[in-house]
Amino acid sequence: MNKKRTRLEVIRDILEVIKSRNGKIKPTHILYKSNLSYVMMDDYLSELKEKGFITEVSKAKGKTYQITEKGQEYLKKYALISEFSESFGLNQ
Amino acid sequence: MALQYTIPSWLFGIDIALELIFWIITLAVAITAYNVYKISRENSMKCFSIGFLLVSLSYLVWAIINIFALSEFMEFSLQKAFSIGIVGIYAYILLLSIGLITIAYAILPKKNSRVYYIMLGLGLIAIVSSANKIITFRAASVLLLSVIVYHFFVQWREHKSKYLLYSAIAFSLLLLSNLEFALSANYYTAYVVGHFLELAAYSIILRNLVKIAFIGKTSSNEQKKNKA
């Protein structure tokens, strides 16, 4: 059985899913790839928008999400974030 | 209010050097936590950074008090040393109390600013309104450190990370050092032991920091290689 993901891991997984689709992805694709419930995914997407890691683009066909520079930076420096939070017990 | 502790003469100067070392290490933790916050935008990192910054400032203030006390003592002006010390002691108590409360808040799973202000208010009111502020301050520090140590051991049991265990041990040593300082008014050995327990604790924390910095540097070098 897989260990439960921490918040930081979930954020990383969502950002990687968005990045893997050349930076543009629909919510349903994020839902399938990130292995989250709709409510949780919505909460995380709101949080990521607030933090400036992703932007939402609304079109007639629906909305898509794009990763920002800050989001890319998060992925690049994820090892550092993860080690620090793990070492000091902040990865809840 | 006065703070007194008995110190063996050979420790004069060494305690100041140790406090300056602790200042630098806690400042390094605060800066690293802030850098991680800038990337992750996690509130727990921000609180952790602020908490350690305040703890760092408390060590600086304590070192400055001791430098003044030592210089005035050498000139045989104990009264002047005490009056400078009183302002410094209040600053030290305030900074360390708020720092520990902030660190304890940072490790809570659910963040709520009201909870933080309640913790801060209760802690400071208890200390300020107490007849013996030093004892109340030490008791509050021991309580806060106990909460932090418990958190680390629970996290270690869940995640089985050796670096979490190191942090748990480091904060346990800080807890013991606070207990020693509470006894230091009457026993000079407690003052000595307290300082060396802190030195052991911060050496472990420094070790964790160096590892984190190394991993941060390694991952950014790997990114540069992949780009090339």
Side-chain angles (χ1 to χ4, degrees):
Chain A
M1 195 172 173
N2 286 337
K3 206 175 69 169
K4 193 179 165 188
R5 288 181 294 178
T6 63
R7 278 191 70 254
L8 298 176
E9 284 171 333
V10 172
I11 290 170
R12 177 204 60 191
D13 290 347
I14 293 172
L15 290 174
E16 276 181 348
V17 164
I18 298 173
K19 189 182 171 186
S20 68
R21 288 291 196 111
N22 294 323
K24 278 187 191 175
I25 191 169
K26 289 184 181 177
T28 39
H29 294 138
I30 300 173
L31 192 62
Y32 294 140
K33 295 282 185 182
S34 62
N35 212 15
L36 293 169
S37 68
Y38 181 81
V39 171
M40 280 189 75
M41 182 203 72
D42 204 39
D43 286 343
Y44 274 107
L45 288 177
S46 301
E47 187 184 330
L48 293 177
K49 274 192 295 182
E50 205 179 298
K51 288 181 176 175
F53 290 166
I54 59 174
T55 52
E56 185 182 291
V57 180
S58 296
K59 291 183 178 172
K61 286 182 183 177
K63 54 186 175 188
T64 56
Y65 291 97
Q66 295 178 11
I67 193 167
T68 62
E69 283 281 338
K70 278 187 185 173
Q72 303 267 18
E73 186 69 14
Y74 182 98
L75 290 175
K76 272 184 214 170
K77 299 270 173 78
Y78 180 74
L80 171 66
I81 297 166
S82 169
E83 280 303 323
F84 185 89
S85 65
E86 192 188 302
S87 293
F88 291 104
L90 298 170
N91 56 348
Q92 294 168 7
Chain B
M1 183 184 75
L3 175 67
Q4 67 174 55
Y5 40 85
T6 46
I7 311 174
S9 54
W10 60 265
L11 196 66
F12 276 177
I14 295 175
D15 60 342
I16 296 170
L18 286 174
E19 281 140 25
L20 290 171
I21 290 169
F22 304 154
W23 164 55
I24 290 167
I25 293 174
T26 46
L27 187 63
V29 174
I31 291 170
T32 308
Y34 184 70
N35 286 337
V36 174
Y37 163 72
K38 274 200 306 185
I39 304 164
S40 68
R41 312 306 288 184
E42 287 286 311
N43 280 335
S44 53
M45 308 285 183
K46 183 170 76 172
C47 292
F48 202 73
S49 172
I50 293 168
F52 262 92
L53 179 65
L54 292 168
V55 170
S56 169
L57 289 172
S58 75
Y59 280 120
L60 182 63
V61 164
W62 194 241
I64 292 170
I65 294 171
N66 281 339
I67 290 168
F68 272 115
L70 185 63
S71 58
E72 292 301 323
F73 180 72
M74 293 301 190
E75 291 171 17
F76 301 103
S77 175
L78 286 174
Q79 197 169 355
K80 210 172 170 189
F82 277 132
S83 49
I84 292 166
I86 292 293
V87 173
I89 287 163
Y90 272 115
Y92 167 72
I93 288 174
L94 211 67
L95 288 166
L96 189 55
S97 304
I98 300 173
L100 287 176
I101 289 169
T102 309
I103 293 170
Y105 174 74
I107 61 174
L108 290 176
K110 299 277 180 197
K111 304 283 183 294
N112 185 328
S113 54
R114 271 182 242 175
V115 169
Y116 177 65
Y117 293 126
I118 289 169
M119 285 169 70
L120 207 58
L122 285 174
L124 294 178
I125 286 168
I127 292 168
V128 166
S129 59
S130 163
N132 192 330
K133 292 170 185 24
I134 303 297
I135 296 292
T136 311
F137 157 66
R138 287 292 174 204
S141 302
V142 164
L143 178 66
L144 288 165
L145 284 165
S146 302
V147 167
I148 294 168
V149 166
Y150 174 75
H151 162 80
F152 276 118
F153 276 113
V154 164
Q155 286 285 301
W156 170 66
R157 219 175 59 176
E158 210 177 291
H159 299 281
K160 299 284 186 233
S161 158
K162 66 178 177 183
Y163 294 101
L164 265 172
L165 180 61
Y166 294 159
S167 293
I169 292 168
F171 278 92
S172 301
L173 291 170
L174 286 175
L175 171 61
L176 288 173
S177 75
N178 262 271
L179 286 166
E180 292 289 336
F181 285 131
L183 299 169
S184 60
N186 299 313
Y187 306 104
Y188 75 83
T189 46
Y191 188 79
V192 175
V193 170
H195 270 84
F196 285 101
L197 283 171
E198 278 190 320
L199 180 63
Y202 286 119
S203 302
I204 296 170
I205 289 173
L206 184 63
R207 188 195 183 285
N208 271 5
L209 259 189
V210 166
K211 184 213 84 167
I212 289 163
F214 176 73
I215 283 172
K217 204 174 177 187
T218 310
S219 68
S220 65
N221 285 343
E222 275 173 12
Q223 295 279 345
K224 284 177 188 168
K225 271 186 190 171
N226 290 339
K227 269 187 182 173

PDB file of all heavy atoms in Angstrom, chain A residues 8-40:
ATOM      1  N   LEU A   8       3.230  18.937   0.193  1.00  0.00           N
ATOM      2  CA  LEU A   8       4.260  19.377  -0.760  1.00  0.00           C
ATOM      3  C   LEU A   8       4.355  18.403  -1.942  1.00  0.00           C
ATOM      4  O   LEU A   8       4.551  18.823  -3.085  1.00  0.00           O
ATOM      5  CB  LEU A   8       5.610  19.483  -0.055  1.00  0.00           C
ATOM      6  CG  LEU A   8       5.691  20.506   1.086  1.00  0.00           C
ATOM      7  CD1 LEU A   8       7.055  20.444   1.770  1.00  0.00           C
ATOM      8  CD2 LEU A   8       5.437  21.913   0.586  1.00  0.00           C
ATOM      9  N   GLU A   9       4.206  17.130  -1.667  1.00  0.00           N
ATOM     10  CA  GLU A   9       4.257  16.115  -2.736  1.00  0.00           C
ATOM     11  C   GLU A   9       3.067  16.266  -3.674  1.00  0.00           C
ATOM     12  O   GLU A   9       3.207  16.147  -4.895  1.00  0.00           O
ATOM     13  CB  GLU A   9       4.278  14.701  -2.135  1.00  0.00           C
ATOM     14  CG  GLU A   9       5.632  14.326  -1.553  1.00  0.00           C
ATOM     15  CD  GLU A   9       5.603  13.025  -0.766  1.00  0.00           C
ATOM     16  OE1 GLU A   9       4.534  12.651  -0.223  1.00  0.00           O
ATOM     17  OE2 GLU A   9       6.660  12.400  -0.654  1.00  0.00           O
ATOM     18  N   VAL A  10       1.887  16.529  -3.108  1.00  0.00           N
ATOM     19  CA  VAL A  10       0.689  16.709  -3.939  1.00  0.00           C
ATOM     20  C   VAL A  10       0.864  17.930  -4.839  1.00  0.00           C
ATOM     21  O   VAL A  10       0.566  17.882  -6.043  1.00  0.00           O
ATOM     22  CB  VAL A  10      -0.582  16.864  -3.056  1.00  0.00           C
ATOM     23  CG1 VAL A  10      -1.773  17.246  -3.899  1.00  0.00           C
ATOM     24  CG2 VAL A  10      -0.865  15.583  -2.286  1.00  0.00           C
ATOM     25  N   ILE A  11       1.382  19.021  -4.269  1.00  0.00           N
ATOM     26  CA  ILE A  11       1.615  20.246  -5.058  1.00  0.00           C
ATOM     27  C   ILE A  11       2.606  19.952  -6.174  1.00  0.00           C
ATOM     28  O   ILE A  11       2.406  20.354  -7.329  1.00  0.00           O
ATOM     29  CB  ILE A  11       2.117  21.394  -4.144  1.00  0.00           C
ATOM     30  CG1 ILE A  11       0.980  21.862  -3.231  1.00  0.00           C
ATOM     31  CG2 ILE A  11       2.638  22.566  -4.969  1.00  0.00           C
ATOM     32  CD1 ILE A  11       1.401  22.824  -2.128  1.00  0.00           C
ATOM     33  N   ARG A  12       3.681  19.236  -5.847  1.00  0.00           N
ATOM     34  CA  ARG A  12       4.670  18.867  -6.862  1.00  0.00           C
ATOM     35  C   ARG A  12       4.034  18.042  -7.969  1.00  0.00           C
ATOM     36  O   ARG A  12       4.257  18.282  -9.156  1.00  0.00           O
ATOM     37  CB  ARG A  12       5.803  18.067  -6.208  1.00  0.00           C
ATOM     38  CG  ARG A  12       6.861  17.567  -7.199  1.00  0.00           C
ATOM     39  CD  ARG A  12       7.594  16.361  -6.673  1.00  0.00           C
ATOM     40  NE  ARG A  12       6.674  15.249  -6.417  1.00  0.00           N
ATOM     41  CZ  ARG A  12       7.012  14.142  -5.765  1.00  0.00           C
ATOM     42  NH1 ARG A  12       8.229  13.986  -5.289  1.00  0.00           N
ATOM     43  NH2 ARG A  12       6.142  13.174  -5.561  1.00  0.00           N
ATOM     44  N   ASP A  13       3.206  17.051  -7.584  1.00  0.00           N
ATOM     45  CA  ASP A  13       2.570  16.178  -8.581  1.00  0.00           C
ATOM     46  C   ASP A  13       1.658  16.965  -9.511  1.00  0.00           C
ATOM     47  O   ASP A  13       1.663  16.754 -10.728  1.00  0.00           O
ATOM     48  CB  ASP A  13       1.772  15.062  -7.884  1.00  0.00           C
ATOM     49  CG  ASP A  13       2.676  14.052  -7.198  1.00  0.00           C
ATOM     50  OD1 ASP A  13       3.901  14.068  -7.466  1.00  0.00           O
ATOM     51  OD2 ASP A  13       2.174  13.244  -6.384  1.00  0.00           O
ATOM     52  N   ILE A  14       0.884  17.897  -8.940  1.00  0.00           N
ATOM     53  CA  ILE A  14      -0.022  18.710  -9.766  1.00  0.00           C
ATOM     54  C   ILE A  14       0.785  19.577 -10.742  1.00  0.00           C
ATOM     55  O   ILE A  14       0.473  19.655 -11.931  1.00  0.00           O
ATOM     56  CB  ILE A  14      -0.948  19.597  -8.894  1.00  0.00           C
ATOM     57  CG1 ILE A  14      -1.917  18.723  -8.091  1.00  0.00           C
ATOM     58  CG2 ILE A  14      -1.716  20.606  -9.748  1.00  0.00           C
ATOM     59  CD1 ILE A  14      -2.736  19.492  -7.061  1.00  0.00           C
ATOM     60  N   LEU A  15       1.838  20.207 -10.228  1.00  0.00           N
ATOM     61  CA  LEU A  15       2.652  21.079 -11.092  1.00  0.00           C
ATOM     62  C   LEU A  15       3.349  20.265 -12.188  1.00  0.00           C
ATOM     63  O   LEU A  15       3.465  20.731 -13.329  1.00  0.00           O
ATOM     64  CB  LEU A  15       3.689  21.842 -10.256  1.00  0.00           C
ATOM     65  CG  LEU A  15       3.123  22.919  -9.329  1.00  0.00           C
ATOM     66  CD1 LEU A  15       4.227  23.502  -8.448  1.00  0.00           C
ATOM     67  CD2 LEU A  15       2.445  24.033 -10.103  1.00  0.00           C
ATOM     68  N   GLU A  16       3.778  19.080 -11.856  1.00  0.00           N
ATOM     69  CA  GLU A  16       4.438  18.229 -12.871  1.00  0.00           C
ATOM     70  C   GLU A  16       3.451  17.808 -13.943  1.00  0.00           C
ATOM     71  O   GLU A  16       3.801  17.772 -15.123  1.00  0.00           O
ATOM     72  CB  GLU A  16       5.075  17.004 -12.207  1.00  0.00           C
ATOM     73  CG  GLU A  16       6.456  17.331 -11.673  1.00  0.00           C
ATOM     74  CD  GLU A  16       7.159  16.167 -11.029  1.00  0.00           C
ATOM     75  OE1 GLU A  16       6.522  15.135 -10.769  1.00  0.00           O
ATOM     76  OE2 GLU A  16       8.369  16.322 -10.757  1.00  0.00           O
ATOM     77  N   VAL A  17       2.213  17.517 -13.540  1.00  0.00           N
ATOM     78  CA  VAL A  17       1.180  17.146 -14.515  1.00  0.00           C
ATOM     79  C   VAL A  17       0.932  18.316 -15.470  1.00  0.00           C
ATOM     80  O   VAL A  17       0.872  18.127 -16.689  1.00  0.00           O
ATOM     81  CB  VAL A  17      -0.132  16.761 -13.778  1.00  0.00           C
ATOM     82  CG1 VAL A  17      -1.318  16.757 -14.724  1.00  0.00           C
ATOM     83  CG2 VAL A  17       0.006  15.407 -13.115  1.00  0.00           C
ATOM     84  N   ILE A  18       0.823  19.520 -14.909  1.00  0.00           N
ATOM     85  CA  ILE A  18       0.573  20.706 -15.748  1.00  0.00           C
ATOM     86  C   ILE A  18       1.768  20.951 -16.666  1.00  0.00           C
ATOM     87  O   ILE A  18       1.618  21.231 -17.859  1.00  0.00           O
ATOM     88  CB  ILE A  18       0.290  21.955 -14.871  1.00  0.00           C
ATOM     89  CG1 ILE A  18      -0.969  21.741 -14.033  1.00  0.00           C
ATOM     90  CG2 ILE A  18       0.133  23.200 -15.738  1.00  0.00           C
ATOM     91  CD1 ILE A  18      -1.253  22.828 -13.013  1.00  0.00           C
ATOM     92  N   LYS A  19       2.975  20.824 -16.120  1.00  0.00           N
ATOM     93  CA  LYS A  19       4.191  21.060 -16.913  1.00  0.00           C
ATOM     94  C   LYS A  19       4.314  20.038 -18.037  1.00  0.00           C
ATOM     95  O   LYS A  19       4.738  20.359 -19.155  1.00  0.00           O
ATOM     96  CB  LYS A  19       5.408  20.970 -15.988  1.00  0.00           C
ATOM     97  CG  LYS A  19       6.701  21.396 -16.647  1.00  0.00           C
ATOM     98  CD  LYS A  19       7.864  21.244 -15.707  1.00  0.00           C
ATOM     99  CE  LYS A  19       9.169  21.457 -16.459  1.00  0.00           C
ATOM    100  NZ  LYS A  19      10.334  21.179 -15.622  1.00  0.00           N
ATOM    101  N   SER A  20       3.919  18.777 -17.750  1.00  0.00           N
ATOM    102  CA  SER A  20       4.082  17.703 -18.744  1.00  0.00           C
ATOM    103  C   SER A  20       3.189  17.902 -19.958  1.00  0.00           C
ATOM    104  O   SER A  20       3.438  17.341 -21.018  1.00  0.00           O
ATOM    105  CB  SER A  20       3.786  16.351 -18.102  1.00  0.00           C
ATOM    106  OG  SER A  20       2.410  16.272 -17.783  1.00  0.00           O
ATOM    107  N   ARG A  21       2.137  18.712 -19.814  1.00  0.00           N
ATOM    108  CA  ARG A  21       1.253  18.981 -20.941  1.00  0.00           C
ATOM    109  C   ARG A  21       1.613  20.290 -21.613  1.00  0.00           C
ATOM    110  O   ARG A  21       0.728  21.039 -22.026  1.00  0.00           O
ATOM    111  CB  ARG A  21      -0.209  19.057 -20.448  1.00  0.00           C
ATOM    112  CG  ARG A  21      -0.790  17.728 -20.061  1.00  0.00           C
ATOM    113  CD  ARG A  21      -0.992  16.861 -21.296  1.00  0.00           C
ATOM    114  NE  ARG A  21      -1.883  15.754 -21.024  1.00  0.00           N
ATOM    115  CZ  ARG A  21      -3.098  15.642 -21.528  1.00  0.00           C
ATOM    116  NH1 ARG A  21      -3.590  16.558 -22.339  1.00  0.00           N
ATOM    117  NH2 ARG A  21      -3.842  14.597 -21.232  1.00  0.00           N
ATOM    118  N   ASN A  22       2.891  20.556 -21.709  1.00  0.00           N
ATOM    119  CA  ASN A  22       3.418  21.807 -22.279  1.00  0.00           C
ATOM    120  C   ASN A  22       2.814  23.042 -21.618  1.00  0.00           C
ATOM    121  O   ASN A  22       2.613  24.060 -22.270  1.00  0.00           O
ATOM    122  CB  ASN A  22       3.163  21.860 -23.791  1.00  0.00           C
ATOM    123  CG  ASN A  22       3.963  20.788 -24.499  1.00  0.00           C
ATOM    124  OD1 ASN A  22       5.092  20.503 -24.124  1.00  0.00           O
ATOM    125  ND2 ASN A  22       3.358  20.176 -25.484  1.00  0.00           N
ATOM    126  N   GLY A  23       2.496  22.930 -20.336  1.00  0.00           N
ATOM    127  CA  GLY A  23       2.024  24.073 -19.579  1.00  0.00           C
ATOM    128  C   GLY A  23       0.564  24.418 -19.755  1.00  0.00           C
ATOM    129  O   GLY A  23       0.110  25.433 -19.254  1.00  0.00           O
ATOM    130  N   LYS A  24      -0.223  23.604 -20.522  1.00  0.00           N
ATOM    131  CA  LYS A  24      -1.658  23.913 -20.652  1.00  0.00           C
ATOM    132  C   LYS A  24      -2.435  22.634 -20.435  1.00  0.00           C
ATOM    133  O   LYS A  24      -2.245  21.641 -21.145  1.00  0.00           O
ATOM    134  CB  LYS A  24      -1.963  24.450 -22.052  1.00  0.00           C
ATOM    135  CG  LYS A  24      -1.662  25.919 -22.227  1.00  0.00           C
ATOM    136  CD  LYS A  24      -2.139  26.400 -23.573  1.00  0.00           C
ATOM    137  CE  LYS A  24      -1.583  27.781 -23.831  1.00  0.00           C
ATOM    138  NZ  LYS A  24      -1.905  28.260 -25.179  1.00  0.00           N
ATOM    139  N   ILE A  25      -3.366  22.693 -19.486  1.00  0.00           N
ATOM    140  CA  ILE A  25      -4.087  21.457 -19.175  1.00  0.00           C
ATOM    141  C   ILE A  25      -5.474  21.773 -18.646  1.00  0.00           C
ATOM    142  O   ILE A  25      -5.685  22.809 -17.999  1.00  0.00           O
ATOM    143  CB  ILE A  25      -3.282  20.622 -18.147  1.00  0.00           C
ATOM    144  CG1 ILE A  25      -3.858  19.225 -17.989  1.00  0.00           C
ATOM    145  CG2 ILE A  25      -3.170  21.355 -16.824  1.00  0.00           C
ATOM    146  CD1 ILE A  25      -2.959  18.286 -17.204  1.00  0.00           C
ATOM    147  N   LYS A  26      -6.418  20.876 -18.937  1.00  0.00           N
ATOM    148  CA  LYS A  26      -7.789  21.072 -18.441  1.00  0.00           C
ATOM    149  C   LYS A  26      -7.918  20.459 -17.057  1.00  0.00           C
ATOM    150  O   LYS A  26      -7.183  19.516 -16.719  1.00  0.00           O
ATOM    151  CB  LYS A  26      -8.780  20.395 -19.389  1.00  0.00           C
ATOM    152  CG  LYS A  26      -8.912  21.096 -20.723  1.00  0.00           C
ATOM    153  CD  LYS A  26      -9.973  20.434 -21.572  1.00  0.00           C
ATOM    154  CE  LYS A  26     -10.071  21.149 -22.911  1.00  0.00           C
ATOM    155  NZ  LYS A  26     -11.033  20.488 -23.799  1.00  0.00           N
ATOM    156  N   PRO A  27      -8.904  20.935 -16.267  1.00  0.00           N
ATOM    157  CA  PRO A  27      -9.063  20.400 -14.900  1.00  0.00           C
ATOM    158  C   PRO A  27      -9.288  18.892 -14.854  1.00  0.00           C
ATOM    159  O   PRO A  27      -8.783  18.217 -13.966  1.00  0.00           O
ATOM    160  CB  PRO A  27     -10.294  21.145 -14.366  1.00  0.00           C
ATOM    161  CG  PRO A  27     -10.362  22.397 -15.155  1.00  0.00           C
ATOM    162  CD  PRO A  27      -9.801  22.080 -16.506  1.00  0.00           C
ATOM    163  N   THR A  28     -10.022  18.373 -15.824  1.00  0.00           N
ATOM    164  CA  THR A  28     -10.315  16.927 -15.793  1.00  0.00           C
ATOM    165  C   THR A  28      -9.039  16.106 -15.960  1.00  0.00           C
ATOM    166  O   THR A  28      -8.898  15.049 -15.336  1.00  0.00           O
ATOM    167  CB  THR A  28     -11.309  16.530 -16.903  1.00  0.00           C
ATOM    168  OG1 THR A  28     -11.007  17.277 -18.085  1.00  0.00           O
ATOM    169  CG2 THR A  28     -12.735  16.801 -16.490  1.00  0.00           C
ATOM    170  N   HIS A  29      -8.122  16.599 -16.774  1.00  0.00           N
ATOM    171  CA  HIS A  29      -6.852  15.873 -16.955  1.00  0.00           C
ATOM    172  C   HIS A  29      -6.036  15.887 -15.673  1.00  0.00           C
ATOM    173  O   HIS A  29      -5.388  14.882 -15.322  1.00  0.00           O
ATOM    174  CB  HIS A  29      -6.044  16.480 -18.103  1.00  0.00           C
ATOM    175  CG  HIS A  29      -6.706  16.292 -19.429  1.00  0.00           C
ATOM    176  ND1 HIS A  29      -6.767  17.282 -20.390  1.00  0.00           N
ATOM    177  CD2 HIS A  29      -7.369  15.228 -19.955  1.00  0.00           C
ATOM    178  CE1 HIS A  29      -7.424  16.836 -21.438  1.00  0.00           C
ATOM    179  NE2 HIS A  29      -7.800  15.599 -21.202  1.00  0.00           N
ATOM    180  N   ILE A  30      -6.064  17.039 -14.982  1.00  0.00           N
ATOM    181  CA  ILE A  30      -5.363  17.134 -13.689  1.00  0.00           C
ATOM    182  C   ILE A  30      -5.989  16.148 -12.706  1.00  0.00           C
ATOM    183  O   ILE A  30      -5.286  15.448 -11.953  1.00  0.00           O
ATOM    184  CB  ILE A  30      -5.421  18.568 -13.097  1.00  0.00           C
ATOM    185  CG1 ILE A  30      -4.773  19.581 -14.043  1.00  0.00           C
ATOM    186  CG2 ILE A  30      -4.740  18.608 -11.732  1.00  0.00           C
ATOM    187  CD1 ILE A  30      -4.938  21.028 -13.600  1.00  0.00           C
ATOM    188  N   LEU A  31      -7.309  16.054 -12.734  1.00  0.00           N
ATOM    189  CA  LEU A  31      -8.038  15.159 -11.830  1.00  0.00           C
ATOM    190  C   LEU A  31      -7.603  13.704 -12.034  1.00  0.00           C
ATOM    191  O   LEU A  31      -7.328  12.978 -11.075  1.00  0.00           O
ATOM    192  CB  LEU A  31      -9.535  15.307 -12.089  1.00  0.00           C
ATOM    193  CG  LEU A  31     -10.495  14.681 -11.084  1.00  0.00           C
ATOM    194  CD1 LEU A  31     -10.355  15.286  -9.705  1.00  0.00           C
ATOM    195  CD2 LEU A  31     -11.934  14.842 -11.568  1.00  0.00           C
ATOM    196  N   TYR A  32      -7.504  13.280 -13.277  1.00  0.00           N
ATOM    197  CA  TYR A  32      -7.115  11.890 -13.562  1.00  0.00           C
ATOM    198  C   TYR A  32      -5.663  11.620 -13.189  1.00  0.00           C
ATOM    199  O   TYR A  32      -5.328  10.578 -12.615  1.00  0.00           O
ATOM    200  CB  TYR A  32      -7.306  11.566 -15.051  1.00  0.00           C
ATOM    201  CG  TYR A  32      -8.737  11.584 -15.523  1.00  0.00           C
ATOM    202  CD1 TYR A  32      -9.075  12.116 -16.769  1.00  0.00           C
ATOM    203  CD2 TYR A  32      -9.758  11.081 -14.726  1.00  0.00           C
ATOM    204  CE1 TYR A  32     -10.397  12.140 -17.204  1.00  0.00           C
ATOM    205  CE2 TYR A  32     -11.077  11.115 -15.146  1.00  0.00           C
ATOM    206  CZ  TYR A  32     -11.388  11.650 -16.384  1.00  0.00           C
ATOM    207  OH  TYR A  32     -12.702  11.684 -16.804  1.00  0.00           O
ATOM    208  N   LYS A  33      -4.816  12.579 -13.551  1.00  0.00           N
ATOM    209  CA  LYS A  33      -3.366  12.338 -13.381  1.00  0.00           C
ATOM    210  C   LYS A  33      -2.887  12.523 -11.945  1.00  0.00           C
ATOM    211  O   LYS A  33      -1.911  11.920 -11.529  1.00  0.00           O
ATOM    212  CB  LYS A  33      -2.568  13.307 -14.278  1.00  0.00           C
ATOM    213  CG  LYS A  33      -2.780  13.086 -15.773  1.00  0.00           C
ATOM    214  CD  LYS A  33      -1.975  11.906 -16.255  1.00  0.00           C
ATOM    215  CE  LYS A  33      -2.089  11.778 -17.765  1.00  0.00           C
ATOM    216  NZ  LYS A  33      -1.359  10.621 -18.261  1.00  0.00           N
ATOM    217  N   SER A  34      -3.562  13.404 -11.207  1.00  0.00           N
ATOM    218  CA  SER A  34      -3.048  13.729  -9.874  1.00  0.00           C
ATOM    219  C   SER A  34      -3.586  12.801  -8.778  1.00  0.00           C
ATOM    220  O   SER A  34      -3.114  12.850  -7.648  1.00  0.00           O
ATOM    221  CB  SER A  34      -3.384  15.174  -9.506  1.00  0.00           C
ATOM    222  OG  SER A  34      -4.787  15.337  -9.454  1.00  0.00           O
ATOM    223  N   ASN A  35      -4.595  11.990  -9.134  1.00  0.00           N
ATOM    224  CA  ASN A  35      -5.110  11.013  -8.170  1.00  0.00           C
ATOM    225  C   ASN A  35      -5.735  11.675  -6.934  1.00  0.00           C
ATOM    226  O   ASN A  35      -5.473  11.266  -5.795  1.00  0.00           O
ATOM    227  CB  ASN A  35      -3.947  10.089  -7.740  1.00  0.00           C
ATOM    228  CG  ASN A  35      -4.443   8.690  -7.441  1.00  0.00           C
ATOM    229  OD1 ASN A  35      -5.555   8.321  -7.801  1.00  0.00           O
ATOM    230  ND2 ASN A  35      -3.620   7.928  -6.777  1.00  0.00           N
ATOM    231  N   LEU A  36      -6.518  12.703  -7.184  1.00  0.00           N
ATOM    232  CA  LEU A  36      -7.200  13.421  -6.102  1.00  0.00           C
ATOM    233  C   LEU A  36      -8.704  13.428  -6.359  1.00  0.00           C
ATOM    234  O   LEU A  36      -9.142  13.239  -7.496  1.00  0.00           O
ATOM    235  CB  LEU A  36      -6.733  14.888  -6.063  1.00  0.00           C
ATOM    236  CG  LEU A  36      -5.290  15.185  -5.668  1.00  0.00           C
ATOM    237  CD1 LEU A  36      -4.960  16.645  -5.961  1.00  0.00           C
ATOM    238  CD2 LEU A  36      -5.049  14.883  -4.204  1.00  0.00           C
ATOM    239  N   SER A  37      -9.460  13.692  -5.273  1.00  0.00           N
ATOM    240  CA  SER A  37     -10.899  13.892  -5.456  1.00  0.00           C
ATOM    241  C   SER A  37     -11.101  15.279  -6.061  1.00  0.00           C
ATOM    242  O   SER A  37     -10.203  16.123  -6.008  1.00  0.00           O
ATOM    243  CB  SER A  37     -11.612  13.806  -4.108  1.00  0.00           C
ATOM    244  OG  SER A  37     -11.240  14.913  -3.312  1.00  0.00           O
ATOM    245  N   TYR A  38     -12.301  15.527  -6.606  1.00  0.00           N
ATOM    246  CA  TYR A  38     -12.555  16.821  -7.255  1.00  0.00           C
ATOM    247  C   TYR A  38     -12.431  17.973  -6.254  1.00  0.00           C
ATOM    248  O   TYR A  38     -11.850  19.008  -6.565  1.00  0.00           O
ATOM    249  CB  TYR A  38     -13.947  16.827  -7.914  1.00  0.00           C
ATOM    250  CG  TYR A  38     -14.226  18.131  -8.604  1.00  0.00           C
ATOM    251  CD1 TYR A  38     -13.712  18.396  -9.875  1.00  0.00           C
ATOM    252  CD2 TYR A  38     -14.956  19.138  -7.961  1.00  0.00           C
ATOM    253  CE1 TYR A  38     -13.920  19.613 -10.495  1.00  0.00           C
ATOM    254  CE2 TYR A  38     -15.171  20.358  -8.580  1.00  0.00           C
ATOM    255  CZ  TYR A  38     -14.657  20.593  -9.844  1.00  0.00           C
ATOM    256  OH  TYR A  38     -14.856  21.806 -10.448  1.00  0.00           O
ATOM    257  N   VAL A  39     -12.985  17.750  -5.055  1.00  0.00           N
ATOM    258  CA  VAL A  39     -12.974  18.816  -4.034  1.00  0.00           C
ATOM    259  C   VAL A  39     -11.536  19.166  -3.639  1.00  0.00           C
ATOM    260  O   VAL A  39     -11.162  20.337  -3.559  1.00  0.00           O
ATOM    261  CB  VAL A  39     -13.794  18.380  -2.786  1.00  0.00           C
ATOM    262  CG1 VAL A  39     -13.615  19.346  -1.648  1.00  0.00           C
ATOM    263  CG2 VAL A  39     -15.270  18.262  -3.149  1.00  0.00           C
ATOM    264  N   MET A  40     -10.746  18.115  -3.425  1.00  0.00           N
ATOM    265  CA  MET A  40      -9.343  18.349  -3.016  1.00  0.00           C
ATOM    266  C   MET A  40      -8.574  19.028  -4.133  1.00  0.00           C
ATOM    267  O   MET A  40      -7.775  19.932  -3.888  1.00  0.00           O
ATOM    268  CB  MET A  40      -8.669  17.034  -2.650  1.00  0.00           C
ATOM    269  CG  MET A  40      -9.010  16.559  -1.251  1.00  0.00           C
ATOM    270  SD  MET A  40      -8.014  15.170  -0.757  1.00  0.00           S
ATOM    271  CE  MET A  40      -6.475  15.966  -0.415  1.00  0.00           C
TER     272      MET A  40
END
